[in-house]
Amino acid sequence: MLRSAITGVGAYLPPDIVTNEALSKIVDTSDDWIRERTGIRQRHRAADDQAVSDLAVESAKKALEAAGKTPADIDLIVVATTTGDLTFPATAAIVQRKLGCPVGIAFDVQAVCSGFVYALTVADGFVGRGNAKCALVIGAETMTRLMDWTDRGTCVLFGDGAGAVVLEPVEEQGANTDRGLISWSLRCDGTKQDLLYVDGGPSTTGTVGKLRMAGNQVFKHAVINISESIEAALEKVDLTIADVDWFIPHQANERILHGVAKRLGLDEHKVIQTVGEHANTSAASIPLALSTAIDDGRIKKGDLLLMEAMGGGLTWGACLVRL
Ligand code: UT7
């Protein structure tokens, strides 16, 4: 059977770094509070003239290079973003034009912080059925553009960045030892919308809006929901948490990611953590963390990766990928 294999990974962070100290001059907060409650030390912020497609393109170029591919090879682009350049067209279409890819399939996936996990699964629907030969799956966000800079409960938590993977079909056995995306579980509970949302949109206010979050209530759902979807993804393919080589969680809060690891009995050394340096970059956080751990030599070809995320919707989910 065909599997969708990750053959290249790339990431991009805008150069401007905003420290906790700098934020403490804008809102009533402190480096101590932010570190202690979230693990965040800094975040990157896109320049005024950088659109989210620019971040996506930079990460995609690196992923293509790592895969030994060129823009001419790409026939599918899926961008997971909640901060698109424009209401339409899709940021994926803009990325296609900026990269110089040929006419092909390109669209965005909107599942907020769970966007990358959703996008990978959606792209697998094309690549894993032989309907795309070389796909770019990108998580890219300019979350700082959605901040209410008077709300200390949210504005200290988010950052900007992008991460991309190249996905290609590989012939495999249909076993849990296969290379590629081997299992997933996705969830959405729309009744929890009010816990995390943006208070604007084209068909309601006609504005972009600002991010609103009942942080401590989202926190309460996070560990339980994430753990359940991970267990479902493992169970589908007869694997256990002990089989996982690396845990690449969405980077919202270090207390959440360690809470999930503890609940599942996962060795802390297997947790890839970048929330300290990147903060919460929504759909970009998983590919950014993946890229970091490949670049520093921890993650290697053949490793079993467990990715998970939770975000607005509420959406959540998990993916198992053998690199
Ligand atoms: O990526 C999408 C998913 N999002 C998440 O997973 C985020 C989940 N939530 C969280 O990570 C945490 O709930 C937060 C980091 C947002 C907040 O941490 P918390 O421990 O849940 O704090 P809290 O909201 O219960 O607030 C505790 C106190 C409050 O003060 P009082 O009422 O006890 O006097 C807040 O006003 O901390 C105060 N506070 C702050 N203090 C200093 C809230 N934000 C700040 C701040 N600096 N930035």
Side-chain angles (χ1 to χ4, degrees):
M1 70 176 287
L2 285 182
R3 294 281 195 191
S4 306
I6 293 178
T7 56
V9 179
Y12 174 79
L13 289 158
D16 184 22
I17 290 174
V18 182
T19 61
N20 294 343
E21 191 59 35
L23 289 179
S24 71
K25 299 196 167 54
I26 309 174
V27 284
D28 181 14
T29 190
S30 65
D31 181 43
D32 280 353
W33 191 94
I34 301 171
R35 279 179 194 244
E36 200 175 294
R37 298 292 181 112
T38 70
I40 298 168
R41 294 193 294 280
Q42 61 174 48
R43 70 285 295 139
H44 290 249
R45 189 172 180 172
D48 290 347
D49 62 354
Q50 277 184 312
V52 77
S53 63
D54 296 319
L55 277 53
V57 163
E58 291 311 312
S59 68
K61 283 180 186 166
K62 290 181 188 154
L64 285 169
E65 197 188 331
K69 297 286 171 185
T70 70
D73 297 314
I74 296 300
D75 54 5
L76 168 68
I77 302 175
V78 185
V79 176
T81 188
T82 200
T83 50
D85 287 20
L86 301 168
T87 301
F88 77 78
T91 298
I94 300 172
V95 168
Q96 187 204 55
R97 170 176 58 78
K98 287 185 176 175
L99 275 174
C101 300
V103 171
I105 308 165
F107 59 90
D108 292 353
V109 164
Q110 162 58 299
V112 204
C113 297
S114 312
F116 188 75
V117 170
Y118 267 69
L120 208 54
T121 308
V122 169
D124 177 52
F126 292 84
V127 177
R129 289 179 187 183
N131 291 318
K133 294 268 171 288
C134 193
L136 269 169
V137 181
I138 307 172
E141 300 280 17
T142 47
M143 292 304 284
T144 63
R145 305 261 159 87
L146 293 179
M147 294 301 112
D148 171 352
W149 294 102
T150 65
D151 177 11
R152 67 177 183 172
T154 53
C155 75
V156 303
L157 303 174
F158 292 87
D160 302 335
V165 301
V166 173
L167 216 54
E168 294 181 69
V170 288
E171 194 62 53
E172 283 291 351
Q173 306 304 311
N176 63 15
T177 48
D178 287 355
R179 187 176 175 207
L181 177 62
I182 57 176
S183 186
W184 53 266
S185 74
L186 300 178
R187 311 272 188 265
C188 176
D189 179 356
T191 66
K192 306 285 187 310
Q193 175 189 321
D194 291 349
L195 302 185
L196 176 53
Y197 66 103
V198 165
D199 63 3
S203 74
T204 50
T205 58
T207 61
V208 171
K210 298 291 178 204
L211 185 143
R212 306 293 171 204
M213 176 164 71
N216 50 10
Q217 291 188 60
V218 174
F219 195 103
K220 279 177 198 146
H221 287 283
V223 176
I224 296 167
N225 285 350
I226 292 165
S227 302
E228 181 277 325
S229 64
I230 289 172
E231 278 162 352
L234 286 165
E235 205 175 303
K236 260 187 184 178
V237 285
D238 262 345
L239 289 172
T240 71
I241 201 72
D243 296 308
V244 171
D245 293 305
W246 297 104
F247 179 46
I248 309 167
H250 168 50
Q251 309 282 323
N253 184 323
E254 73 173 5
R255 286 155 57 210
I256 297 177
L257 48 97
H258 289 295
V260 171
K262 195 172 166 199
R263 191 179 170 100
L264 295 172
L266 185 85
D267 180 350
E268 290 280 329
H269 295 102
K270 294 180 173 180
V271 181
I272 307 295
Q273 188 174 328
T274 51
V275 66
E277 296 75 39
H278 304 165
N280 182 346
T281 57
S282 184
S285 87
I286 291 175
L288 272 166
L290 173 63
S291 176
T292 301
I294 288 175
D295 288 352
D296 68 22
R298 276 178 290 173
I299 294 181
K300 297 193 175 59
K301 202 168 169 193
D303 286 349
L304 182 64
L305 314 179
L306 169 61
M307 308 176 189
E308 60 78 2
M310 178 178 147
L314 293 178
T315 54
W316 66 99
C319 275
L320 282 164
V321 178
R322 196 176 303 281
L323 201 61

